[in-house]
Amino acid sequence: MAVAGGSAAALALGAELVARWAEPHRRYHTRTHLAAVLAAIDDLADEAADLAAVRLAAWFHDAVYDGRPGRDEERSAQLAQARLPACGVPAERVAEVARLVRLTAAHDTLRPGDRNGAVLCDADLAILAALPSGDGMSATALTYDDYARAIRQEYAHVPDAAFAQGRSAVLRRLLATPALYRTPRARALWEERARANMTGELTRLRAMLAAAQPGGDETP
């Protein structure tokens, strides 16, 4: 994690974060997701006001992941505040990193003109615009179908009906926004496909919900 410097503390922090992102209970919020967010930030780099802060926030934004929305982001932000000062990161940047991590809890508290927040939130949502399936994709590329399956696996403890209801609410909330992405470049790159992907997932979730209801069709 060169963005935090090359000190012993920074190297130790990098190793800690890599280990966190590799925890065995994760299915979507893995090192693959982290790499994808960092790559998307590179695509949007010119839009950021403090690119180093945005990249650090990407490393921390799901560093704590127990599947508890809101609480995970808060603990991740607190982790950044606890670890980054020892790496020589200035206090102002540490505060910005923590603020950005907290933004990813819902992505809907972003204020107009927040360039750093727009880049991080857009990069975090870039997966929504992945190709729907594996046709023509490399073996390592994550598709939207892969993403949707991995999210379901992370909530495997939740019954189908409850998951379908909760996930549908999230997707409907995102689709109701005038623009999913806040930066002009992200909108040009990803908006159209992301909306098509989410609309398709909503259709599948409705079928899951119908099958989970008493008397519903539960055949494969």
Side-chain angles (χ1 to χ4, degrees):
M1 192 178 66
V3 70
S7 67
L11 294 174
L13 176 58
E16 177 188 353
L17 290 175
V18 168
R20 285 177 175 274
W21 283 93
E23 291 165 338
H25 68 278
R26 297 173 183 246
R27 293 296 180 268
Y28 170 64
H29 295 87
T30 65
R31 286 180 293 182
T32 298
H33 171 59
L34 172 61
V37 171
L38 290 168
I41 288 170
D42 288 343
D43 288 337
L44 306 176
D46 291 344
E47 307 272 3
D50 184 347
L51 187 57
V54 176
R55 285 178 171 147
L56 283 170
W59 275 92
F60 278 96
H61 81 286
D62 283 317
V64 177
Y65 187 76
D66 293 322
R68 302 173 75 174
R71 185 172 184 271
D72 288 344
E73 288 81 6
E74 179 58 32
R75 292 179 64 202
S76 295
Q78 291 174 2
L79 184 69
Q81 290 171 311
R83 298 286 195 271
L84 289 176
C87 300
V89 178
E92 183 177 353
R93 181 167 287 159
V94 173
E96 176 67 352
V97 170
R99 183 188 72 84
L100 292 170
V101 170
R102 291 182 173 106
L103 274 181
T104 64
H107 293 213
D108 57 4
T109 58
L110 187 65
R111 295 181 178 179
D114 183 353
R115 293 172 59 191
N116 292 334
V119 170
L120 180 63
C121 289
D122 284 0
D124 196 25
L125 296 179
I127 184 61
L128 297 177
L131 289 180
S133 64
D135 293 343
M137 299 288 289
S138 72
T140 58
L142 196 66
T143 68
Y144 190 88
D145 288 348
D146 295 331
Y147 156 70
R149 280 192 295 270
I151 292 294
R152 181 67 186 104
Q153 289 166 3
E154 287 191 336
Y155 288 90
H157 58 286
V158 178
D160 282 349
F163 176 81
Q165 289 172 342
R167 178 69 177 166
S168 294
V170 170
L171 294 175
R172 284 195 297 267
R173 175 174 56 79
L174 289 170
L175 284 167
T177 61
L180 287 168
Y181 299 104
R182 309 302 180 93
T183 62
R185 178 161 175 77
R187 286 196 295 272
L189 288 172
W190 303 322
E191 184 85 17
E192 183 176 356
R193 182 180 288 161
R195 288 185 176 276
N197 282 339
M198 289 191 294
T199 300
E201 187 183 356
L202 271 174
T203 299
R204 294 189 292 275
L205 288 167
R206 281 194 290 268
M208 179 190 293
L209 188 56
Q213 299 301 318
D217 181 6
E218 297 183 1
T219 58

